[in-house]
Amino acid sequence: MEKPAQRPKTPDAAVLQTVERALAELRRGATIVLHDWSGQGALVQAAEQASAEGLADLAALTGTEAMLLLTARRAQALGMPEAKGLIASGGVLALAVEDREAERIRALADPTATQVAVGRSRRVVTAPAGLDVAAVELAKLARLLPAALLAPLPGTPVQSPRAWADARDLMAVTAANVAEYRFAAARNLTSVAEAAVPLADAEDARIVAFRPDDGGTEHLAIIIGDPKPEDPLLLRLHSECFTGDLLSSLRCDCGEQLRGAIQAIAADGAGILLYLAQEGRGIGLVNKLRAYTLQDLGADTLDANEQLGFDADERVYLPAAQMLHRLGFRRVRLLTNNPQKVAALSRFGIAIEERVAHSFPSNGHNEAYLATKAERFGHLF
């Protein structure tokens, strides 16, 4: 029987496939090879998956001890003065791992874990340039804590890090592909399904699902009424919030923003709500729960994200712009109080003709959260 024809792989598709396989390996606690085109290579594991067996494997394969890579934000939260000069550049701090104590490594990566005395036996070392940042980015993309274990390959630069990996049945990925991953996924959104879905507050609604080429979670366009591409589109960008949207959590105002936006668009006659798969300002649900733990200990939402090692906001709005382009809209009236959304869409070729205010009163549980958004994120209320 003749095999069905397959769509030729684009350069973006090759990037996505390679990185996605590496992410799956990291999430299950396995080791991957990260390399550049100069022959520089290293073994990488996710720090939050650190184990005595994994550390022993790194040492056996490379003949050296691993180093722990932390974002400058996380290192600063740990009180390390070396982090100060790395904050602005988004740099990474590398610490020697000399004792193979997996629990201490996990605690250094996770502020919600048992507290550790970071000043003892913690020596700053030099990590392979470029590979250090890429290793931490891989952990972020895998929706893990932004920290990684890295052990340089023996005798690097080597002639072929990929051949070295193949000989040991390890997944290999390049730093360049890691850097390109987020944008490659956003550039290749494909509409995969569409259906009418009458909503309680907008009966004339339909949902279009857009899937990224990496096979990741779909972004959704909730189209209300019959918006015309020639008119400025009333638009809401809404990042998914499992706790707020589905469970009606009182810790945030996300559920009210979602339902309020649908009501506002329906009252206006037509518009679109883009429901973006970017939980917790892009850090993922598990890390958002960790951030909640830190907030319960006194941190605000911005400090909690940074204590985990993330930037204050990790969201990328290129997928939203791509969805609008594919739906035929270039001019919008944006329902938001977040100036970053206005700036982001403008960078991606969407004309913001009006910012429409979109806020809700506090509920007795989220006063501090709303105050932080106004005072530290610059939200307009």
Side-chain angles (χ1 to χ4, degrees):
M1 180 182 297
E2 184 178 353
K3 292 183 179 180
Q6 294 184 337
R7 184 176 63 173
K9 285 186 181 179
T10 64
D12 278 351
V15 168
L16 294 167
Q17 183 182 71
T18 302
V19 176
E20 193 66 25
R21 290 175 61 194
L23 300 181
E25 291 290 281
L26 289 178
R27 284 182 62 81
R28 69 181 187 88
T31 303
I32 66 164
V33 172
L34 176 66
H35 66 98
D36 61 21
W37 298 114
S38 73
Q40 181 177 236
L43 298 182
V44 174
Q45 294 176 359
E48 78 168 75
Q49 307 276 33
S51 66
E53 296 81 3
L55 289 165
D57 287 344
L58 291 179
L61 285 166
T62 65
T64 61
E65 298 297 341
M67 60 186 72
L68 173 63
L69 305 176
L70 301 174
T71 66
R73 295 287 186 191
R74 177 65 186 139
Q76 182 182 55
L78 288 166
M80 296 180 179
E82 297 90 346
K84 184 177 180 181
L86 297 172
I87 294 290
S89 64
V92 169
L93 195 70
L95 302 178
V97 175
E98 298 165 334
D99 49 25
R100 299 194 192 176
E101 293 182 16
E103 184 179 4
R104 283 173 58 79
I105 291 169
R106 293 194 299 270
L108 282 164
D110 185 357
T112 65
T114 304
Q115 296 300 304
V116 295
V118 300
R120 180 171 64 84
S121 301
R122 291 299 156 191
R123 178 167 53 88
V124 176
V125 295
T126 301
L131 297 188
D132 54 353
V133 173
V136 171
E137 177 67 5
L138 276 170
K140 283 186 179 183
L141 291 170
R143 301 185 304 283
L144 302 171
L145 287 166
L149 288 163
L150 182 145
L153 296 185
T156 55
V158 297
Q159 187 172 6
S160 174
R162 187 172 294 276
W164 191 96
D166 290 342
R168 292 157 181 81
D169 198 26
L170 296 173
M171 179 67 206
V173 64
T174 69
N177 282 356
V178 175
E180 181 66 13
Y181 179 83
R182 291 182 192 265
F183 298 97
R187 280 195 298 263
N188 290 281
L189 292 176
T190 302
S191 173
V192 292
E194 178 177 350
V197 183
L199 306 177
D201 294 312
E203 292 190 29
D204 183 13
R206 67 187 191 277
I207 296 177
V208 181
F210 289 86
R211 181 177 297 155
D213 264 7
D214 65 352
T217 305
E218 289 78 14
H219 304 286
L220 305 175
I222 302 172
I223 303 174
I224 296 170
D226 185 22
K228 305 298 184 185
E230 61 270 19
D231 298 328
L233 172 74
L234 184 59
L235 172 73
R236 166 70 183 167
L237 304 184
H238 188 90
S239 298
E240 67 179 342
C241 177
F242 170 80
T243 49
D245 298 343
L246 186 62
L247 302 181
S248 298
S249 166
L250 299 178
R251 295 191 71 133
C252 62
D253 59 344
C254 301
E256 290 177 302
Q257 287 188 359
L258 174 64
R259 289 178 284 277
I262 291 172
Q263 292 167 2
I265 293 171
D268 199 63
I272 294 177
L273 185 145
L274 298 183
Y275 195 81
L276 305 172
Q278 299 189 120
E279 180 86 39
R281 287 196 173 87
I283 69 175
L285 177 59
V286 171
N287 287 319
K288 184 175 82 170
L289 296 178
R290 289 172 170 142
Y292 280 172
T293 298
L294 296 176
Q295 290 171 38
D296 290 339
L297 296 173
D300 65 27
T301 185
L302 187 152
D303 286 337
N305 279 19
E306 292 187 346
Q307 286 178 32
L308 288 168
F310 294 99
D311 288 333
D313 194 333
E314 296 272 347
R315 288 176 291 186
V316 176
Y317 292 106
L318 179 56
Q322 289 295 311
M323 293 165 76
L324 290 172
H325 284 296
R326 281 161 174 66
L327 291 169
F329 295 94
R330 302 290 188 276
R331 299 158 56 224
V332 303
R333 298 161 53 225
L334 188 60
L335 272 166
T336 188
N337 294 323
N338 186 352
Q340 292 183 13
K341 290 182 179 180
V342 176
L345 277 186
S346 298
R347 284 197 301 271
F348 296 128
I350 302 299
I352 312 299
E353 301 206 350
E354 180 186 1
R355 183 190 70 83
V356 181
H358 190 63
S359 62
F360 298 86
S362 61
N363 57 34
H365 294 269
N366 63 7
E367 291 97 337
Y369 170 75
L370 295 179
T372 299
K373 288 208 297 184
E375 296 166 9
R376 303 196 65 191
F377 286 95
H379 286 206
L380 308 167
F381 288 95

